[in-house]
Amino acid sequence: EEKKATITDSEDTTATPEQEETFTEEKQEEKATATESEDTNATLEQEETPTEEKQEKTDVDVVKVEDTPKKFVSGRQVFIFIQETIVLIGKAKAEIGFKLLLEAALTADTMAFGDDEPNFAPVAYELLSQSYSIYEESISEPNAQQRCVTAMIGTILTCRSLSESNYESLITKTAQCSAKLSKKTDQCQMVAECAHLFFPVGGAVKYSKPQRALECLQRSLKLADAATSANPGHMYLFVDLLEHYLYFLEKKNPVVTAAYVAGLGALIKEYLRNATDARAVLGAKNHFISLVKEIKRKKAVKETADLFAAVEIDTAGL
C-alpha cells in the first residue's frame, strides 16, 4: 500500500501538457526580457562612450592651451600697428589720418616718461614726421591746411620727450608750412603763432630762440600789411599781432621791447584813423581799445609795472 501511495503521489506531481505549455511560454518571455535588457545596456554603453571620449579630448585641448607659451607684444610693435592703420585711414580721409597721428604721437610722448617703459621719444618723433608727410602729400584745401597747422603747433608745444634737434627740425617744418598757406590772412596768423614755438613759455619744452620769435612777428607784420592793403577789413590782423607782442613783452623775451609795442600801437592807430570804411574796421577798433586798457592795467600792477612803463599808446581821436 505504501508503495502504491508513493506511485500515486508521483503521478500527481507529473505536469500536464497544459502546464508544460504555460511553463514554456513563461521561459520564452523571460528570455525575451533578458535579451531586451542586454540590448538596452549595450545601447547605453555605446551612448556613453562618445561623451567620455569628448570629455577626454576637451581635457587634452585644455592642457595644450595651458602649455602653449604666451606671445609677447612690445609697445613699439603696438605703435607700428597703429601707425600702419592710421596711414590706411589717411589715404581715404587725409585730415583725419593727420590728426590721429598727432594723437598717437602725444600718447607715445606721455609713455616716454613711464618708469618701466622703454624710451618712446623716437616713436613720438616718427609719428609726428609721418603726419607732416600726410599734410604735404594729401591736404590742399585752404581751411583744412589752416586747421592742421594749428594742430601741429599745439601738439609740438605739448610734447616733452623731443630732443632739441628733433624739436628744432619739427618747428622749422611747421614755420615753412605756415608760410606756404594759400591765404595771406592764414599765413599771417600761423606765422605769428610759430613765434611761440621759438620762445615757448611755461610749458614742458626747454628751448629758446628769442630772435627767431621776433623774426616770425616781423614777418607777420609784412603779411598783415599786404592783406590789409588788399582789404581794409583785415585790419584785425594788426591788432592780433599787437596782442602777441604784448605777450612776449610780459614773458620777458629779451628782444621784444616796449619800443616795438609802442611803434605797432601807433601804426594801428593811424590805420584806424584813415580807414574809409568804419564798419569794416569796427571789430579791430574795439579790440584795440580793450588792449590799450589792458596796458594801463598792467602799468598799475606791481609785478608788470616796470615791463610796461615805457609803452605809450592812447586811443585819442578814435
Side-chain angles (χ1 to χ4, degrees), residues 57 76 109 132 158 234 237-238:
K57 185 177 180 181
R76 184 173 182 83
D109 177 76
Y132 283 82
T158 305
H234 293 150
L237 295 172
F238 281 103

Side-chain angles (χ1 to χ4, degrees), residues 129-283:
S129 299
Q130 184 69 43
S131 70
Y132 283 82
S133 298
I134 289 181
Y135 173 85
E136 293 172 351
E137 296 172 3
S138 306
I139 299 176
S140 57
E141 199 275 321
N143 292 332
Q145 286 183 333
Q146 195 269 347
R147 290 192 298 269
C148 289
V149 172
T150 302
M152 287 179 190
I153 296 171
T155 301
I156 294 174
L157 286 174
T158 305
C159 288
R160 300 179 298 154
S161 66
L162 298 173
S163 65
E164 183 174 344
S165 59
N166 287 343
Y167 178 84
E168 189 165 23
S169 174
L170 291 173
I171 64 176
T172 301
K173 286 182 181 179
T174 304
Q176 292 171 350
C177 291
S178 300
K180 294 178 181 179
L181 291 172
S182 303
K183 300 178 182 178
K184 289 290 184 183
T185 53
D186 291 341
Q187 289 181 24
C188 176
Q189 290 175 319
M190 292 299 100
V191 171
E193 292 292 341
C194 286
H196 296 271
L197 295 173
F198 292 99
F199 192 76
V201 178
V205 180
K206 305 301 180 184
Y207 182 89
S208 180
K209 292 292 179 69
Q211 184 61 39
R212 293 290 302 275
L214 178 60
E215 290 172 3
C216 287
L217 295 178
Q218 291 174 328
R219 171 65 177 163
S220 292
L221 276 175
K222 293 179 181 179
L223 292 167
D225 185 56
T228 305
S229 298
N231 183 355
H234 293 150
M235 182 65 205
Y236 68 89
L237 295 172
F238 281 103
V239 186
D240 289 345
L241 277 170
L242 176 60
E243 195 164 6
H244 284 290
Y245 272 94
L246 290 172
Y247 172 83
F248 285 112
L249 178 64
E250 184 176 358
K251 298 304 179 181
K252 300 179 181 181
N253 183 314
V255 297
V256 177
T257 63
Y260 282 108
V261 177
L264 179 56
L267 178 64
I268 293 172
K269 186 176 179 180
E270 181 182 353
Y271 268 117
L272 291 175
R273 281 179 176 175
N274 298 328
T276 56
D277 188 352
R279 185 177 299 176
V281 299
L282 181 60

Side-chain angles (χ1 to χ4, degrees), residues 83-84 86-88 97-98 101-102 105 123-137 170 173:
Q83 181 184 18
E84 292 174 349
I86 294 175
V87 169
L88 292 175
F98 171 85
L101 282 172
L102 296 184
V123 177
Y125 176 73
E126 185 178 346
L127 290 167
L128 288 170
S129 299
Q130 184 69 43
S131 70
Y132 283 82
S133 298
I134 289 181
Y135 173 85
E136 293 172 351
E137 296 172 3
L170 291 173
K173 286 182 181 179

